Amino acid sequence: EFPAGDEGYHTYGELTEVLRNTADEHGEIVSLSDVGSSYEGRSLHLVKISDNAGQDEDEPEVLFTCNQHAREHLTTEMCLRIVERFTDEYGSDPTVTELVDTREIYVIPTVNPDGAEYDIENGRYKGWRKNRQGNGTDLNRNWGYQWGCCGGSSGSPYSETYRGPSAFSAPETRAVASFVESRVVGGTQQIKAHLDFHSYSELVLWPYGYTYDDANDTMTPEEARRFQEVGERLAASNGYTPQQSSDLYITDGSINDWMWAEHDILSLTFEMYPAGGGGLDGFYPPDERIEPETQRNDEAVEILVAEAGNQV
Ligand SMILES: CC(C)C[C@H](NS(N)(=O)=O)C(=O)O
Ligand SMILES: [Ca+2]
Ligand SMILES: [Ca+2]
Ligand SMILES: [Ca+2]
Ligand SMILES: [Zn+2]
């Protein structure tokens, strides 16, 4: 459980209960399922929000993933905010209503429930980042595009950026990737845009992470320009700093690189609050920050959901 004073954060059990209640209360626009199980057997919850949620309609699809990194608990709250806003405000907020009626929005609130639960075991923060397989795999180095190519991850199982013994060796990344692959319908990937939430540093990041190149044979200059244009619009809405992922540091095997290169999904990362401060404390903002820092991204979420319909 979370330490005293930070009860505002959701444990896996509390998250599961909120998702079940939301599906019960908003049955016609919510479908709750899962993309598979974590290493320790926890369901990787998948929330679908759309009109006629039980039907696969011909509407642009959008994916939000949170909590790949265990200690980044604020991101789980971010995905919960998306679920709650796009259900509670359906029928009252015109923008939310329009987007739910014309898109299929998928949310995976925690990709790494085992790590998140381990991080708060006994009510004290451990600073844990990875999953709970062996000495832990960094899920954001385990994706299968340019996996381990470029010095953006580690081959040591004890490293915080251990890429795993092979691409998709982690059940969690494999499950999410399989879900995305299942959204190829009639040869066309239905998911058009994706955001992966992390903390912290207040950044909007776009691929590639594995190379400093802005453009290359799998990202044309105009495609790179589109990432930058959307990234800058997102950052203008929340005050984060927009930049290419590799401008921060080189990462290989990241989710964004795979989503773009393998599925042409407009895939970005948000690094949430705080902006700086360094050290472990930045991963653990007091729960009083949850509401302001998740609502800070309401407009960015709308921008991305809308952008999914502007497929080139
Ligand atoms: C998305 C990448 C470029 C940054 C991220 N930073 S984090 N969230 O682990 O501190 C990471 O190292 O995976
Ligand atoms: Ca508090
Ligand atoms: Ca629909
Ligand atoms: Ca569809
Ligand atoms: Zn992270």
Side-chain angles (χ1 to χ4, degrees), residues 5-7 286-288:
D6 277 348
E7 293 84 356
D287 65 3
E288 288 76 13

Side-chain angles (χ1 to χ4, degrees), residues 41-54:
R42 294 180 175 87
S43 284
L44 301 171
H45 300 306
L46 173 69
V47 185
K48 176 186 178 183
I49 306 166
S50 186
D51 62 337
N52 312 306

Side-chain angles (χ1 to χ4, degrees), residues 40-280:
E40 292 177 338
R42 294 180 175 87
S43 284
L44 301 171
H45 300 306
L46 173 69
V47 185
K48 176 186 178 183
I49 306 166
S50 186
D51 62 337
N52 312 306
Q55 294 163 47
D56 181 4
E57 297 188 301
D58 186 18
E59 299 166 326
E61 300 182 12
V62 192
L63 174 64
F64 295 97
T65 50
C66 291
N67 194 220
Q68 277 204 91
H69 290 143
R71 61 195 175 195
E72 300 168 17
H73 302 287
L74 184 61
T75 69
T76 307
E77 303 305 321
M78 183 66 234
C79 270
L80 262 186
R81 168 67 185 169
I82 295 169
V83 171
E84 291 185 341
R85 178 164 188 248
F86 277 73
T87 51
D88 288 346
E89 296 182 21
Y90 181 76
S92 56
D93 179 300
T95 304
V96 165
T97 304
E98 169 66 14
L99 291 174
V100 170
D101 283 344
T102 59
R103 306 283 193 275
E104 290 175 332
I105 301 164
Y106 289 104
V107 186
I108 302 175
T110 175
V111 175
N112 183 6
D114 301 352
E117 287 290 286
Y118 177 69
D119 186 50
I120 62 169
E121 209 177 56
N122 310 321
R124 280 190 313 280
Y125 293 126
K126 292 189 177 63
W128 189 256
R129 169 185 171 90
K130 301 189 282 183
N131 79 347
R132 294 295 296 154
Q133 199 172 1
N135 293 287
T137 292
D138 181 351
L139 297 182
N140 208 29
R141 302 298 185 279
N142 189 241
W143 293 78
Y145 185 69
Q146 297 283 20
W147 176 82
C149 71
C150 303
S153 60
S154 170
S156 162
Y158 300 95
S159 166
E160 286 283 51
T161 57
Y162 178 51
R163 65 178 78 99
S166 60
F168 295 122
S169 55
E172 296 87 0
T173 51
R174 181 67 271 165
V176 176
S178 297
F179 166 67
V180 172
E181 288 161 353
S182 78
R183 298 311 308 138
V184 177
V185 178
T188 303
Q189 173 55 252
Q190 301 298 303
I191 300 170
K192 303 303 179 189
H194 163 248
L195 272 189
D196 189 42
F197 286 96
H198 287 257
S199 70
Y200 62 92
S201 292
E202 298 189 4
L203 304 172
V204 173
L205 304 172
W206 57 84
Y208 282 120
Y210 82 92
T211 175
Y212 291 120
D213 295 346
D214 295 359
N216 65 13
D217 57 340
T218 55
M219 168 112 52
T220 65
E222 58 271 3
E223 289 167 334
R225 261 196 304 280
R226 182 180 181 223
F227 266 114
Q228 177 156 357
E229 186 273 326
V230 173
E232 288 173 350
R233 231 174 342 121
L234 293 165
S237 76
N238 60 14
Y240 292 3
T241 300
Q243 62 188 85
Q244 183 173 338
S245 188
S246 54
D247 294 344
L248 186 64
Y249 43 76
I250 293 284
T251 54
D252 49 42
S254 77
I255 191 170
N256 296 139
D257 290 5
W258 183 85
M259 291 280 183
W260 170 255
E262 299 293 351
H263 292 277
D264 289 327
I265 294 170
L266 191 78
S267 175
L268 296 96
T269 283
F270 277 20
E271 290 284 357
M272 295 178 71
Y273 173 91
L280 281 181

